[in-house]
Amino acid sequence: MVLGNVRLADSGQIVNISIERDQIDSVSPTTINANDKLLLHFEDSIVFPGLINSHDHLDFNLFPQLGNRVYSNYTEWGGYIHKEFKQEIADVLRVPQHLRILWGVYKNLLCGVTTVVNHGERLATDNALINIFEDTHDLHSIAFEKLWKLKLNNPLKRALPVVIHTGEGTDKQASREIDSLIGWNKLGRNLIGIHAVAMTAEQAPHFKAIVWCPQSNDYLLDKSAPINQLKSFTKILFGTDSTLTSGWNIWDHINMARGTGMLNDDELYQSLNKTAANVWEINGGEIAKGKSADLVMAKAKGSISNYDAFYATQPADIQLVMHSGKIRLFDQHMLPALAPQLKGQQFSLIQLGDSFKYVAGNIGQLITSIQTYLPQVVFPFTFIHQQIF
Ligand SMILES: [Zn+2]
């Protein structure tokens, strides 16, 4: 397949991208001879790598945001919601886990996320529509992970990075727990800290990276991690966390982050792309020969100067999402051009805002199955029908 006449979201350069199986074969400013390949010609569209969401709990995305005030740390919040929202939590957990995970996958895919670093138990998911990255050693947090010191110092896990919620609070406890984690890292393992709201510039160099989840932090703590002070000492990645503490749409999170000015436009962009791919050691996050063909095309809105169109993107603007060279989502207007490519594949037509998208799989059946357990759930789109091309 050749994606013709698309504008790179970072540099603004117009290019043509050739895809060979699951990889990018060439990126060229001059026209690529499509030969027998399908040529998709775009007008006024930007292209960027499929986004990397470095923190989510895929099976927790049927929860509404739970909480009703500002908390001083995650243990206070956790205790509170398990007491005050017992029924809401039990209702969601009645939905079988595989259905909850699949919705978590769609939540990300609808926004152009093609890689999610899932936190928690390993998920046995085959043929997912996006990459679910789990080559990590996940510890929940110092407060909620039993035997965390022993697990942290398990020599058999040494090769894997330790991913742990840390410093999720604004009080002394949150700050002290980061010191405790650093002090107990006897094997010098690579630490990737989630949230890091209480982290200082002195603590940051002990982490290979931290994952900034600004919307979740704002909801729980009314405070963000001091990313502008930490970014010189560690790598900054971007995460949404689940809908327990944030909205479903990562573009709202990204815009909130941009609004703080704590990362510049390029740093924020790369926290979702190249920086994340480097930290997780995955072959993505860049539009270059040999990289995984994880790509998103979106209608260019606003000025065409560098990055403005990228940051103006919303899910309704997405024209095409490709994951490992396979089409996972496309705007309805592309159907005539794509039809030859889709024979035998199952897609669902949905309305998202004022746009219509085809999404891989049978999302209607998923919704119906979920609603048998959780009739009150509201999805951010309307399902129209499913079809096999
Ligand atoms: Zn989390």
Side-chain angles (χ1 to χ4, degrees):
M1 188 182 302
V2 174
L3 308 166
N5 194 43
V6 285
R7 187 182 293 278
L8 296 171
D10 50 355
S11 68
Q13 189 187 15
I14 300 229
V15 294
N16 302 280
I17 303 169
S18 171
I19 313 295
E20 195 64 53
R21 291 183 298 278
D22 59 351
Q23 290 193 348
I24 296 169
D25 187 46
S26 66
V27 182
S28 164
T30 53
T31 311
I32 293 174
N33 191 345
N35 294 322
D36 54 349
K37 289 181 180 175
L38 181 73
L39 170 67
L40 293 176
H41 185 84
F42 289 84
E43 293 290 343
D44 302 323
S45 288
I46 53 167
V47 61
F48 49 89
L51 302 179
I52 301 171
N53 178 0
S54 288
H55 186 65
D56 199 346
H57 305 257
L58 284 173
D59 53 344
F60 281 1
N61 285 298
L62 284 171
F63 286 110
Q65 283 176 297
L66 293 182
N68 48 24
R69 57 178 168 88
V70 174
Y71 304 86
S72 16
N73 60 55
Y74 67 102
T75 56
E76 185 194 336
W77 171 77
Y80 183 84
I81 65 160
H82 282 288
K83 206 168 101 225
E84 299 296 321
F85 298 100
K86 244 191 179 103
Q87 193 55 50
E88 287 83 349
I89 293 171
D91 287 348
V92 170
L93 294 179
R94 266 208 319 270
V95 181
Q97 196 196 29
H98 71 276
L99 299 177
R100 291 189 275 122
I101 293 167
L102 191 51
W103 165 240
V105 166
Y106 277 115
K107 175 196 97 166
N108 282 281
L109 175 60
L110 293 176
C111 294
V113 172
T114 55
T115 300
V116 172
V117 181
N118 183 63
H119 198 269
E121 297 286 312
R122 233 160 235 272
L123 309 176
T125 350
D126 294 331
N127 305 318
L129 298 170
I130 59 172
N131 306 315
I132 301 174
F133 184 80
E134 298 186 286
D135 295 338
T136 54
H137 181 195
D138 291 355
L139 302 181
H140 186 277
S141 57
I142 281 186
F144 292 142
E145 185 76 42
K146 290 195 183 95
L147 304 176
W148 68 269
K149 290 175 191 164
L150 220 61
K151 291 174 183 170
L152 176 64
N153 291 297
N154 179 352
L156 299 175
K157 297 272 190 180
R158 208 172 188 158
L160 293 171
V162 175
V163 182
I164 182 165
H165 297 90
T166 195
E168 190 181 11
T170 52
D171 58 357
K172 280 237 159 54
Q173 179 191 323
S175 155
R176 274 199 297 252
E177 102 173 359
I178 301 174
D179 286 332
S180 183
L181 179 62
I182 294 168
W184 278 98
N185 186 16
K186 306 289 186 199
L187 300 176
R189 294 183 64 187
N190 283 327
L191 298 177
I192 298 177
I194 313 299
H195 300 307
V197 176
M199 192 175 285
T200 62
E202 289 71 36
Q203 293 167 326
H206 296 277
F207 290 78
K208 181 181 182 187
I210 63 168
V211 183
W212 187 23
C213 305
Q215 206 184 69
S216 171
N217 300 154
D218 183 66
Y219 180 72
L220 228 68
L221 310 167
D222 193 26
K223 191 167 188 248
S224 175
I227 295 301
N228 51 341
Q229 295 163 36
L230 307 180
K231 67 181 182 183
S232 317
F233 303 103
T234 187
K235 300 263 186 346
I236 310 294
L237 313 184
F238 197 90
T240 57
D241 219 331
S242 75
T243 57
L244 252 178
T245 53
S246 64
W248 74 278
N249 177 0
I250 193 173
W251 292 99
D252 294 340
H253 303 222
I254 294 170
N255 274 296
M256 177 185 225
R258 192 190 195 200
T260 69
M262 291 199 285
L263 292 183
N264 67 37
D265 280 354
D266 186 57
E267 291 165 340
L268 181 56
Y269 181 79
Q270 301 304 356
S271 75
L272 291 144
N273 291 304
K274 202 163 148 183
T275 311
N278 288 342
V279 166
W280 302 117
E281 299 178 17
I282 51 181
N283 181 34
E286 277 178 88
I287 299 179
K289 184 178 169 63
K291 293 289 172 187
S292 179
D294 297 341
L295 295 166
V296 179
M297 269 60 61
K299 215 187 297 171
K301 287 196 306 196
S303 100
I304 57 160
S305 70
N306 296 359
Y307 290 119
D308 279 352
F310 174 77
Y311 289 109
T313 302
Q314 281 292 320
D317 305 316
I318 293 177
Q319 306 293 294
L320 186 81
V321 179
M322 180 181 282
H323 160 242
S324 280
K326 296 188 188 69
I327 291 163
R328 302 303 196 197
L329 179 151
F330 60 94
D331 192 89
Q332 188 184 31
H333 87 272
M334 297 191 69
L335 181 58
L338 276 174
Q341 197 74 19
L342 303 172
K343 280 210 171 62
Q345 295 184 43
Q346 185 179 40
F347 278 80
S348 303
L349 181 63
I350 62 168
Q351 181 172 5
L352 190 64
D354 55 2
S355 73
F356 291 85
K357 312 289 181 199
Y358 280 97
V359 192
N362 191 340
I363 202 169
Q365 192 181 58
L366 174 68
I367 289 176
T368 311
S369 304
I370 289 173
Q371 283 171 337
T372 58
Y373 299 93
L374 196 65
Q376 69 272 32
V377 68
V378 177
F379 292 96
F381 59 85
T382 309
F383 170 72
I384 298 173
H385 65 84
Q386 67 91 26
Q387 72 189 86
I388 295 170
F389 289 105

